[in-house]
Structures are given as structure tokens and as C-alpha cells.
Amino acid sequence: RNVRVAVASDASFENLAEVLALRLLERGMFGVQYHAGFAQVAFEVRNKTSGLFQHNPEVVVLAPLTRIWARVVKMDSAAVTQVVEEAWSHVTALRERFSGIVLLQNLAMAESRPHGILETSRELGRTDFVRAINLELSRHCRESSGVFILDAEYLSVRCGGIWPLLHKQNLIASRPISDELASLLAADIAAYCAASKGFACKCLVVDLDNTLWGGVVGEDGVCGLKLGGSFPGNLYTEVQREIKTLHDRGVMLAIVSKNNEADVWEVFDQRSEMVLHRRDFSSHRINWRDKATNIRELAAELNIGLDAMVLIDDNPVEHSWIEEALPEVEVCSATDPIEMIRWLSTTRLFDTMAITREDLLRTQSYAASAERMRLASNSGNVDDYLAGLNMRLEVALAGRTQVARVAQLTQK
């Protein structure tokens, strides 16, 4: 559960250390951090005796462009190339002695617009200059194994700070990253660390009433549920779309609901507005038992740990019960559909280092696993059970298309 992280920047990143430790703890990891001295990124990645290499990190965070505006005189295509080559030279130097994960922070969007509303009318105004650099850095990362963008441009929009760069700490202590932005950067760093260690969650467990649809099917009836169309039914359609997006990238879905099962399947069968279908769910528990017991059974049936499961439910009482009975299970509140959509669209709990073909087929594979368990319980002996599986074994060298999956298996 320990993860060794090194951070090197062209400025001060002191306000990242504490929040990174907290974000790692949230993901069940203990961070062992090394932070290079002020503006020592070039020295740290090129000197084999530097503190960075002595730290023996698993993940290295590089932020060589936070003070870019102090160095750029003219903004044109040549300057874009120069800036990108300068940043990438640090990655190249680091790669000579380090084979782990490299997170290269890109440029946050500048608040200052020297030409006002005409900034985007120039060949390369500040905003387009930042975009051009970030696009080139992303292209370099896509072509390099194990190097990823730490997306300050995206996160600066979400950080909640009015001034991501023009803030007092930057002027007083040369801390270019605001505390709000540092918190989100730390969350992404922790997500990469969790993904690299195989700690990604695998299953989203959903409630139904006032979660997948508005209303209670047992009281409002199939036709009375709020789903699709105008507000508020459109909120629940968006919720289902976000869940479907997770499913399509390999996250298993399961249902735990206190309901009559026949009523539930009527909604799936009769409401054409349903984005999610019965076949999208690997398993379900639709009954009147307590949800902690149901979730334990689902984990056993799907052969995954409780810490691989995330519950989304609208009932605060159920939240408290699950958090007390099953502290390993992450719980997301569904009391506000808009907040639920935001959470689903930005959660990092299910992030992995790569999405393989096997990930996309995970729902079917876990459903097949559940069927094997059923078959085993009904078989008289082991030979009958194995014969009933109709297994076929192929032995071959791993091909290029299978490398990502082989790498995943080394984490198990």
C-alpha cells in the first residue's frame, strides 16, 4: 500500500505535498514523497545522484512549464516548438534512468489576455498558444509508453478558484499552483498511483427508485416514473448515460434495490426511455433484505473484493448503514441528480492505466463466472463440472495486441 512519488518543478510545489498525502490516503495508499528543491527540475532528472533518483520513485511528477510566461517573449509556432522540446527534454533525460510512470503537467490556461476580446483574433494569442503547446505535449505522450499528461488546463476550469494562476501565493512564495488546483492535481496523481497498483474499483452497484429513475415504482407505477423528456425526467436519462459510459469501458454494473422484482423488470421492458438495459447488469439483488447482506452476496458471486465495489443510492439511512457495516465500499449519494451526474462524470475510482479488450468484455466474463458457480453447485462431482464448462485452451506467445492485458495481469 506504500507508493513512492517524486515531484520536480520549475517553481515551488510546497502546497502539493500535504494534499497529495491526503488524496493518496483516500485511495488506500501511504505516500512516500520526495519534492525537489526550487526550480531544480533540470538538475534532478539529469543527475544520477540527485535526490529524485535516490528516492527510487514509482511515479515521477514533472512540472517544467509553470513559469512559462517569464520566459516567452514572442508567441508563434517556433516558440511552441521550443517550449515543447524544452519540456520533453526533461522527460527524455528522466527516461534514461527511470522506467516507471511519468506525469507531465501541461499548461493551465492564463487568465491574462493582453489583447482583450481580440486575443483569439491573433495568429497565436495566449489562449491558443497554451492550447497549441498542450496538444503537442499530448501527442508526445501518446507516442511514449508510460508517460501521461497531468491535465492542469482541464483541472484549472474545475478547481473552483476564480484565479488559478493570478493569486497571492504565486506572488509571495512563487507557488504558481493555487491550493484549489493543487487539490485536484493531487487527486489525479493519486488516481494514477491507484491504477498502477491495480486498486481501481470494478463494480458500480446502483439503487433504482430515485436513482436510475425519478419516483418509486411500487407507488407511482411504471408509467408514473420520471424518466426522459423534459425536466426532471431528463436528469435521470443523463444519469443512465453516464453509468452506461462507465459500463462501456469495462465497469461492471449490479443492482441492489428494495423492491418487488417483477415491478422492476416491467420498467426495463416497458419504458423506452431507459438507456440501461437488463443485459447491462452482471448481477442483481432485488428484495427486501438489508443492502449490506445483498452487497456481500454480490461480491462473492462476482468473485471480487468489497473494496472493488461502489454503491450509488439516494437514501441517507442506507448510506450510514453501508458505511458502518461495509466500510470498504465507497458510497456515492444520489439525493441530488445533478450532483450524481457530476460525480459519475468525474469520478476517478474506476480509472485504469489502459483499457483492454478484456476490460470491455468484463461484464460478460463476470456473468459467465456467476454461471460457472451455479453450475458447480449443481454438479455431482468435479469431472461433471469441468466437462460442463466446455473449456478450450490455446497456448501461444503473447502478441503485441496482448501486451496491455499481460501488464494488467502482473498486478493481480
Side-chain angles (χ1 to χ4, degrees):
R1 290 282 176 173
N2 288 344
V3 58
R4 304 183 69 83
V5 181
V7 180
S9 169
D10 63 343
S12 171
F13 258 41
E14 292 180 2
N15 56 337
L16 183 69
E18 184 174 326
V19 70
L20 178 56
L22 292 173
R23 293 295 194 179
L24 289 169
L25 282 172
E26 287 175 354
R27 299 302 302 270
M29 294 172 288
F30 296 96
V32 183
Q33 299 184 49
Y34 170 79
H35 289 258
F38 182 87
Q40 293 294 305
V41 59
F43 171 82
E44 292 282 347
V45 300
R46 289 168 173 81
N47 187 340
K48 65 180 180 181
T49 63
S50 70
L52 185 149
F53 289 115
Q54 296 302 312
H55 184 64
N56 192 27
E58 300 166 75
V59 177
V60 172
V61 179
L62 296 181
L65 300 177
T66 61
R67 307 199 69 78
I68 188 67
W69 305 116
R71 304 197 296 271
V72 171
V73 177
K74 183 179 180 181
M75 290 179 291
D76 54 21
S77 57
V80 170
T81 301
Q82 181 180 350
V83 170
V84 171
E85 288 179 352
E86 174 191 331
W88 199 253
S89 70
H90 300 312
V91 177
T92 302
L94 178 63
R95 269 289 182 243
E96 293 180 2
R97 298 183 178 89
F98 176 70
S99 59
I101 295 172
V102 179
L103 302 180
L104 177 62
Q105 182 184 308
N106 63 10
L107 283 172
M109 193 60 68
E111 298 97 331
S112 174
R113 297 196 300 176
H115 297 88
I117 61 175
L118 298 179
E119 193 72 24
T120 55
S121 299
R122 299 174 57 80
E123 182 179 351
L124 270 183
R126 277 203 173 196
T127 53
D128 288 342
F129 185 68
V130 169
R131 293 186 183 110
I133 291 172
N134 287 347
L135 284 173
E136 279 299 300
L137 290 177
S138 293
R139 183 181 63 81
H140 276 63
C141 287
R142 287 194 297 271
E143 296 172 355
S144 303
S145 175
V147 185
F148 304 91
I149 289 293
L150 188 59
D151 201 345
E153 180 184 5
Y154 164 72
L155 295 177
S156 63
V157 177
R158 288 194 51 237
C159 73
I162 300 175
W163 303 104
L165 299 180
L166 296 175
H167 53 89
K168 188 178 292 186
Q169 285 191 1
N170 192 11
L171 300 172
I172 294 176
S174 294
R175 293 181 181 177
I177 302 301
S178 67
D179 290 342
E180 297 89 351
L181 181 53
S183 179
L184 292 186
L185 288 171
D188 268 17
I189 296 169
Y192 277 106
C193 293
S196 70
K197 289 182 171 290
F199 294 161
C201 294
K202 298 179 175 65
C203 181
L204 178 63
V205 182
V206 298
D207 182 33
L208 297 175
D209 294 330
N210 290 313
T211 301
L212 282 196
W213 52 67
V216 178
V217 64
E219 299 175 4
D220 302 313
V222 174
C223 297
L225 298 177
K226 300 178 181 66
L227 185 61
S230 58
F231 183 88
N234 57 349
L235 291 177
Y236 295 97
T237 301
E238 289 301 318
V239 167
Q240 292 195 29
R241 285 200 182 102
E242 291 296 340
I243 294 174
K244 179 69 171 176
T245 298
L246 292 173
H247 171 268
D248 289 346
R249 80 183 206 203
V251 176
M252 287 185 296
L253 303 181
I255 295 171
V256 169
S257 175
K258 290 183 177 180
N259 251 312
N260 293 321
E261 188 168 347
D263 295 342
V264 167
W265 299 132
E266 279 188 26
V267 180
F268 280 85
D269 294 338
Q270 297 180 21
R271 291 297 296 263
S272 60
E273 305 94 330
M274 288 288 293
V275 176
L276 294 169
H277 303 285
R278 185 170 179 173
R279 62 179 178 273
D280 295 324
F281 295 89
S282 298
S283 190
H284 63 271
R285 290 294 184 276
I286 304 171
N287 52 45
W288 298 98
R289 296 185 302 167
D290 77 275
K291 291 189 177 181
T293 299
N294 283 329
I295 291 173
R296 285 195 190 95
E297 288 186 0
L298 282 176
E301 180 179 315
L302 298 172
N303 195 27
I304 60 175
L306 288 169
D307 59 353
M309 307 182 84
V310 179
L311 172 68
I312 188 165
D313 194 298
D314 71 301
N315 190 332
V317 176
E318 298 285 4
H319 296 175
S320 299
W321 169 235
I322 297 300
E323 288 171 351
E324 179 180 341
L326 305 175
E328 308 97 319
V329 177
E330 186 78 22
V331 179
C332 168
S333 172
T335 52
D336 183 342
I338 293 180
E339 288 302 316
M340 182 167 39
I341 295 168
R342 290 170 177 164
W343 183 89
L344 287 166
S345 63
T346 59
T347 181
R348 303 168 177 89
L349 293 176
F350 302 100
D351 287 349
T352 58
M353 297 305 297
I355 299 176
T356 66
R357 179 176 178 273
E358 285 75 13
D359 292 326
L360 301 178
L361 296 174
R362 181 172 288 133
T363 298
Q364 294 93 319
S365 68
Y366 277 97
S369 176
E371 177 62 17
R372 286 194 297 271
M373 293 177 64
R374 186 197 63 79
L375 184 61
S377 64
N378 294 335
S379 299
N381 55 65
V382 174
D383 290 339
D384 291 343
Y385 166 62
L386 294 176
L389 294 179
N390 296 316
M391 289 186 293
R392 177 182 175 184
L393 175 66
E394 296 181 8
V395 180
L397 293 173
R400 290 178 60 87
T401 60
Q402 298 167 310
V403 171
R405 179 55 177 164
V406 172
Q408 280 187 337
L409 292 174
T410 65
Q411 300 172 356
K412 293 185 180 292

